[in-house]
Amino acid sequence: QVHLVESGGGLVQAGGSLRLSCAHSGPIFSTYAMAWFRQAPGKEREFVAALRWSGGASDYADSVKGRFTISRDNAKNTVYLQMTSLKPEDTAVYYCASKWGSLALKRSDYGYWGRGTQVTVSS
């Protein structure tokens, strides 16, 4: 059974950086994709970034391009989200998600989810 556990959230000032981690239990095969979504209070959960495990192809939401980077550590079965130049509007609970197959941007495409980690950016 797949378990995803996020960590690394916290409180940071605008302009600062954080790195989120998502540890994936169980084996990861080449035909696998992992992603980060976020949900701010009163808003829908939205796509942030995704990565295909094999080859490392990635995609980002326009709102985070150039500021966030998704990456992986094969040996640790862990995916990361490096966040820089953080803005107050980045405040949200960040969720890690995974799926079999190709990259996807829709929440409904992902079958496995972590419980989330809170990121708060103060102005």
Side-chain angles (χ1 to χ4, degrees):
Q1 189 171 359
V2 174
H3 290 285
L4 302 174
V5 179
E6 303 97 335
S7 61
L11 173 64
V12 64
Q13 288 188 330
S17 300
L18 278 176
R19 188 178 79 158
L20 306 183
S21 300
C22 173
H24 178 285
S25 67
I28 296 178
F29 300 97
S30 60
T31 55
Y32 209 70
M34 295 185 73
W36 289 95
F37 287 75
R38 67 186 181 187
Q39 188 166 16
K43 294 188 177 182
E44 295 289 319
R45 192 171 300 186
E46 64 175 4
F47 169 77
V48 175
L51 177 144
R52 182 169 172 83
W53 200 262
S54 175
S58 59
D59 202 354
Y60 297 89
D62 288 343
S63 59
V64 307
K65 279 182 182 175
R67 300 189 298 124
F68 291 10
T69 303
I70 189 170
S71 63
R72 73 197 188 287
D73 184 325
N74 290 353
K76 296 181 179 180
N77 277 6
T78 298
V79 67
Y80 303 98
L81 185 69
Q82 179 68 50
M83 306 185 293
T84 63
S85 301
L86 282 162
K87 305 174 182 180
E89 51 264 43
D90 294 318
T91 295
V93 177
Y94 282 71
Y95 297 90
C96 179
S98 65
K99 67 181 292 290
W100 296 101
S102 59
L103 272 179
L105 309 186
K106 294 190 298 182
R107 174 184 178 180
S108 58
D109 288 327
Y110 288 83
Y112 303 104
W113 291 86
R115 293 189 174 184
T117 185
Q118 176 71 46
V119 172
T120 303
V121 184
S122 63
S123 57

